[in-house]
Amino acid sequence: MKRTGNLKALVLILFIVIFVTACSSKNETVNDTVASTAPAETAAFNPDEADGVDFKQMREQNGAVPKPSGSIKLGSVSKAFENEYWRTLKEGMELGAKTMKESGIDVSIDVKSAQGEGDEQGQLSIVKDMVNKKYSALLLSPISDGNLTPGVEDAKKAGIPVINVNDGLIATAPNFVGPKAIENGELAAKWIAGKLNNQGEIAIVIGMPKAFAARQRTAGFENWMKENAPDVKIVEKQNADWDRSKARDLAETWIKKHPDLKAIFANNDTMALGIVEAVKASGKQILVVGVDGIGEAYESIKKGEMSATIDSFPKYKGQISVEVALRILGGQQLPRVIWTPQALIDSTNVNTPAEEIIGWENAKFE
């Protein structure tokens, strides 16, 4: 009886093993089928790689700016006005609206900003308020690539056009206006490599890692050096979150750690100016290049302190973004991406008027 009981138990165990194995195999097959039929993840939107046109091409292709019927109220939300760049962009947008009003278009613009460059929720609240007040169109420069997405979705449901201006990135925004951020870094790399005869130790100070422009400027700089000046060695790379004092502290540490450091590239001028302070205190000759083209950077270049900046001309970018908004409201079909001008500024052209450098002309109106 004992031997018969053992046999029955063994048969039962074998049956359980076979059943579990079969079920497991079936589940694996189902999972494999689900995986193979699931849609591939959509690639993130990158305006640097999109099919876009230069603002001058936009004007050639679409002609004069149409005059929308009725009163137009534009809303704009920037990062933080503590940064001169965003104040200048604001001035450009207001100038653009003023020029259009003088041409007979009933348009006004309300430009606001967050409390600081890290106030993501505060910035979103401003956008939602503008949507609730039914502004005609929104021109947005988010702090990070995702913080304004809920507000953009609300605007789209309300039928309000949204234009992503410069940085950060709003993947769901129908239109983008700004420079090719990757070219910011490429222009800086080419200039530095030329000054260093394609060799030497350099460093990079990154802005806020969540910001599209910071990533693209850094990538453009690194990739250009790798492909064109492999003997230029990047010995340090760290973020300073667009902060002047943080950038200065980093530079002080790096200058002591790397006695042969020849140049530092910063993702914006505010950080570059902090680096200049550290370089001056060290008594060394180190190239410092920033991005944005703010007034203080120009003055520093004129004094022979800061070496160069990549100017993306926020005053004119602001005017272009307002022009794009009016074209959209007037019914014109535009490419998703409109690129705005940029240029490297150093001692050779720091006194040249911006209008001459970029060939600026005011838009024409119907």
Side-chain angles (χ1 to χ4, degrees):
M1 289 293 295
K2 184 176 181 182
R3 186 174 295 176
T4 301
N6 288 342
L7 181 60
K8 288 181 178 179
L10 180 59
V11 170
L12 180 60
I13 292 170
L14 286 172
F15 176 80
I16 293 172
V17 170
I18 292 170
F19 179 81
V20 171
T21 302
C23 290
S24 176
S25 177
K26 182 179 179 180
N27 287 337
E28 287 175 4
T29 302
V30 171
N31 290 337
D32 288 344
T33 302
V34 172
S36 64
T37 57
E41 184 177 344
T42 304
F45 171 61
N46 184 339
D48 285 356
E49 300 172 355
D51 291 329
V53 297
D54 177 85
F55 79 100
K56 293 181 180 179
Q57 292 176 295
M58 173 192 69
R59 290 176 174 178
E60 291 172 2
Q61 294 173 5
N62 291 273
V65 178
K67 292 184 178 180
S69 59
S71 178
I72 300 297
K73 185 170 185 178
L74 304 176
S76 174
V77 183
S78 293
K79 291 189 179 181
F81 293 145
E82 62 193 17
N83 185 325
E84 182 188 331
Y85 176 86
W86 299 108
R87 296 196 301 273
T88 306
L89 184 71
K90 174 179 182 289
E91 292 169 7
M93 289 179 174
E94 291 171 341
L95 177 58
K98 178 183 177 183
T99 301
M100 291 181 179
K101 197 170 186 65
E102 291 172 350
S103 299
I105 298 175
D106 186 6
V107 59
S108 62
I109 188 165
D110 182 15
V111 187
K112 296 183 177 180
S113 80
Q115 296 276 333
E117 297 244 12
D119 183 21
E120 296 186 24
Q121 286 302 312
Q123 194 186 41
L124 176 59
S125 295
I126 297 171
V127 174
K128 284 182 170 289
D129 183 60
M130 288 181 172
V131 172
N132 291 335
K133 291 179 179 177
K134 297 180 172 29
Y135 281 52
S136 304
L138 301 180
L139 295 84
L140 309 179
S141 301
I143 290 171
S144 69
D145 290 351
N147 74 295
L148 295 187
T149 299
V152 173
E153 294 302 320
D154 289 347
K156 290 168 74 174
K157 290 176 184 176
I160 300 173
V162 176
I163 300 162
N164 184 186
V165 182
N166 192 65
D167 177 53
L169 191 65
I170 309 174
T172 57
N175 294 91
F176 176 91
V177 174
K180 284 188 176 181
I182 201 163
E183 287 186 2
N184 296 158
E186 292 170 348
L187 289 170
K190 183 177 181 180
W191 188 90
I192 289 174
K195 294 296 181 181
L196 298 181
N197 294 318
N198 294 331
Q199 58 186 352
E201 296 182 354
I202 65 172
I204 304 173
V205 178
I206 305 169
M208 193 169 287
K210 291 192 291 184
F212 169 77
R215 298 194 303 272
Q216 290 294 96
R217 289 168 185 172
T218 302
F221 187 88
E222 289 182 306
N223 292 339
W224 193 97
M225 285 297 188
K226 182 179 180 180
E227 295 172 7
N228 300 280
D231 290 332
V232 172
K233 184 180 180 183
I234 300 173
V235 295
E236 296 286 353
K237 181 176 69 171
Q238 190 171 327
N239 62 290
D241 303 327
W242 310 121
D243 186 88
R244 184 169 181 152
S245 61
K246 288 182 181 180
R248 182 183 62 242
D249 292 344
L250 279 178
E252 288 175 351
T253 300
W254 293 348
I255 291 169
K256 294 174 183 176
K257 183 178 177 181
H258 302 281
D260 294 326
L261 192 64
K262 301 299 182 185
I264 302 176
F265 168 56
N267 280 176
N268 80 347
D269 285 341
T270 299
M271 296 188 300
L273 290 163
I275 295 166
V276 166
E277 294 171 8
V279 171
K280 286 171 63 178
S282 73
K284 293 194 170 186
Q285 297 295 317
I286 298 174
L287 301 174
V288 180
V289 178
V291 180
D292 282 345
I294 65 175
E296 191 177 352
Y298 268 69
E299 292 304 313
S300 185
I301 292 171
K302 290 175 182 178
K303 293 176 184 177
E305 298 172 345
M306 190 166 157
S307 308
T309 182
I310 313 302
D311 195 343
S312 58
F313 304 101
K315 176 182 175 182
Y316 301 94
K317 184 188 305 174
Q319 294 176 71
I320 294 167
S321 64
V322 170
E323 177 185 340
V324 168
L326 266 291
R327 288 183 182 276
I328 292 171
L329 290 170
Q332 291 188 354
Q333 297 295 317
L334 303 181
R336 183 175 183 182
V337 175
I338 304 297
W339 288 307
T340 56
Q342 59 182 307
L344 187 137
I345 306 298
D346 62 9
S347 60
T348 66
N349 62 353
V350 70
N351 292 307
T352 304
E355 292 87 347
E356 183 178 332
I357 292 175
I358 65 175
W360 176 258
E361 293 181 358
N362 286 327
K364 293 180 174 56
F365 306 94
E366 291 182 352

